[in-house]
């Protein structure tokens, strides 16, 4: 099975900061990637898809770099409510989940 | 909204007991999955199913079995619970094979004493 690696964190950032997470994948044949978000004591939920051309959704930007085999998630103007674990996911059958990166946004 | 429900939020069982974890989804999804999630280890896939009466092993199937007699229901069975099976168990479903969006249930925190 393909492997997806993430820095577990935690990333502790002040409100308003910009924070970026990276995720690397080992199989160059992997085609599609996604970010899921998991709040504390809750289930994971799809956050956004990742495209080579970049995908922006409000304060969140996801990017895929195929040459270096990594995926990134950028969060601008961090809010307290962004505190969660962010899971990098490769589209395989079935999905391959990274172990997650924990973000804490501090007031 | 898709809803995935799990039979219990918290469960305490003794070593050696047979344990059933039930999962039901209400959106006619073809695929269903069972994961366990432990600190530092992330989500690990136990078993999955792409159709009724079909099952496939995930990454850590040892000590577990599953049953899918109806499309909406996927059961995880611990034949003889052990303390190393204490974990958070998450069920998920997705529409078709190759779907990238999985819908998760709220999880069952199982403690085996």
């Amino acid at each position: 099975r393909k492997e997806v690696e993430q820095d577990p964190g935690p990333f502790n950032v002040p409100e308003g900061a910009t924070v970026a997470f990276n995720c690397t994948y080992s199989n160059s044949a992997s085609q599609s990637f996604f970010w899921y978000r998991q709040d504390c004591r809750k289930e994971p939920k799809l956050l956004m898809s990742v495209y080579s051309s970049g995908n922006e959704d409000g304060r969140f930007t996801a990017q895929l770099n195929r040459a270096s085999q990594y995926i990134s998630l950028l969060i601008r103007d961090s809010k307290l409510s962004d505190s969660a674990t962010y899971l990098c996911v490769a589209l395989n059958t079935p999905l391959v989940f990274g172990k997650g990166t924990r973000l804490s946004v501090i007031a | 909204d898709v809803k995935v429900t799990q039979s219990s939020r918290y469960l305490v069982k003794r070593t050696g007991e047979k344990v059933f974890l039930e999962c039901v989804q209400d959106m006619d999804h073809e695929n269903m999955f069972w994961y366990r999630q432990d600190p530092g280890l992330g989500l690990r896939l136990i078993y999955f199913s792409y159709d009724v009466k079909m099952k496939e092993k995930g990454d850590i199937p040892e000590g577990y079995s599953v049953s899918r007699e109806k499309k909406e229901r996927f059961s995880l069975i611990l034949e003889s619970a052990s303390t190393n099976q204490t974990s958070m168990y998450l069920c998920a479903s997705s529409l078709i094979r190759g779907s990238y969006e999985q819908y998760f249930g709220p999880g069952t925190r199982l403690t085996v004493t």
Side-chain angles (χ1 to χ4, degrees), chain B residues 1 3-4 6 10 18-20 25 33 39 55 75 77 94 103 109 112:
Chain B
D1 272 355
K3 193 157 186 181
V4 180
Q6 295 184 227
Y10 299 94
K18 190 169 186 175
V19 181
F20 293 87
Q25 48 92 5
F33 308 84
K55 61 183 179 184
S75 303
I77 303 152
S94 65
Y103 297 85
R109 168 72 64 186
V112 182

Side-chain angles (χ1 to χ4, degrees), chain A residues 47-95:
Chain A
L47 177 66
M48 61 195 302
S49 305
V50 186
Y51 308 123
S52 296
S53 56
N55 183 15
E56 189 170 319
D57 183 3
R59 296 180 294 107
F60 294 77
T61 300
Q63 189 81 46
L64 167 62
N65 184 317
R66 290 197 186 276
S68 303
Q69 292 187 207
Y70 77 82
I71 303 105
S72 63
L73 178 67
L74 182 77
I75 306 175
R76 290 178 297 278
D77 189 23
S78 299
K79 311 289 184 194
L80 294 175
S81 58
D82 294 333
S83 296
T85 296
Y86 292 84
L87 305 171
C88 176
V89 181
L91 180 61
N92 195 5
T93 303
L95 296 181

Side-chain angles (χ1 to χ4, degrees), chain A residues 7-63:
Chain A
D7 182 341
F11 284 64
N12 298 315
V13 302
E15 272 188 293
T18 295
V19 60
F21 312 132
N22 281 344
C23 162
T24 59
Y25 62 94
S26 56
N27 190 325
S28 58
S30 298
Q31 292 296 311
S32 302
F33 300 89
F34 307 89
W35 285 99
Y36 274 63
R37 170 190 169 131
Q38 184 172 21
D39 292 331
C40 189
R41 298 191 187 90
K42 298 282 191 178
E43 69 273 19
K45 293 184 180 179
L46 178 65
L47 177 66
M48 61 195 302
S49 305
V50 186
Y51 308 123
S52 296
S53 56
N55 183 15
E56 189 170 319
D57 183 3
R59 296 180 294 107
F60 294 77
T61 300
Q63 189 81 46

Side-chain angles (χ1 to χ4, degrees), chain A residues 1 34 36 38 43 93-94, chain B residues 37 45 50 59 100 102 105:
Chain A
R1 280 170 56 81
F34 307 89
Y36 274 63
Q38 184 172 21
E43 69 273 19
T93 303
Chain B
Q37 189 171 34
L45 183 62
Y50 288 136
D59 298 316
Y100 60 82
Q102 286 188 358

